[in-house]
Amino acid sequence: MIDRAGVLECLKELGAAGGEPERYAALVDFACSSVYARLKDKAFETDSRAVFLAAAQANYMICCGSQADGFDSFTAGDVSFSGGSGAAAAAGQILAAARSSAADLVENSAFAFKSV
């Protein structure tokens, strides 16, 4: 299994969990198990790239789940309101970087037709 303690440490540094990543135990466990299930070789479970990928995945889910009403801003006539910090977009960029970094460790679920 992916090092859960390592994932929690990464989440603390990423900051989305507000310094208390233990509050999101179910999301952390899901991220650890989903990354572990996709590893090409289970020996990669201790690789820092796999640990960071699990942390980035949990971070993204935390950011998406904590957005108020699912929007960052709206405009009504001459009045505009911006309430979001773009945290989910930033978390998405971190997740994309983590996926790219760990690409050689995990199975790609994509497929392509070679002929029709």
Side-chain angles (χ1 to χ4, degrees):
M1 183 60 74
I2 302 293
D3 179 21
R4 189 176 192 277
V7 172
L8 291 172
E9 283 302 312
C10 286
L11 278 174
K12 286 178 185 174
E13 290 183 26
L14 290 170
E20 299 178 14
E22 297 83 10
R23 289 179 36 205
Y24 301 97
L27 291 176
V28 170
D29 290 342
F30 173 77
C32 287
S33 63
S34 67
V35 169
Y36 182 76
R38 293 180 26 227
L39 290 176
K40 290 179 181 177
D41 184 342
K42 300 309 180 199
F44 294 146
E45 68 185 325
T46 59
D47 190 295
S48 61
R49 294 171 295 168
V51 172
F52 187 71
L53 177 58
Q57 186 172 322
N59 181 57
Y60 183 70
M61 290 186 290
I62 291 167
C63 286
C64 287
S66 63
Q67 284 189 1
D69 298 327
F71 61 87
D72 284 339
S73 65
F74 71 91
T75 302
D78 293 336
V79 178
S80 292
F81 173 78
S82 258
S85 63
Q93 291 175 340
I94 291 169
L95 179 56
R99 284 180 177 155
S100 175
S101 176
D104 60 331
L105 304 179
V106 295
E107 296 287 341
N108 186 350
S109 61
F111 68 94
F113 291 106
K114 299 213 180 222
S115 65
V116 179

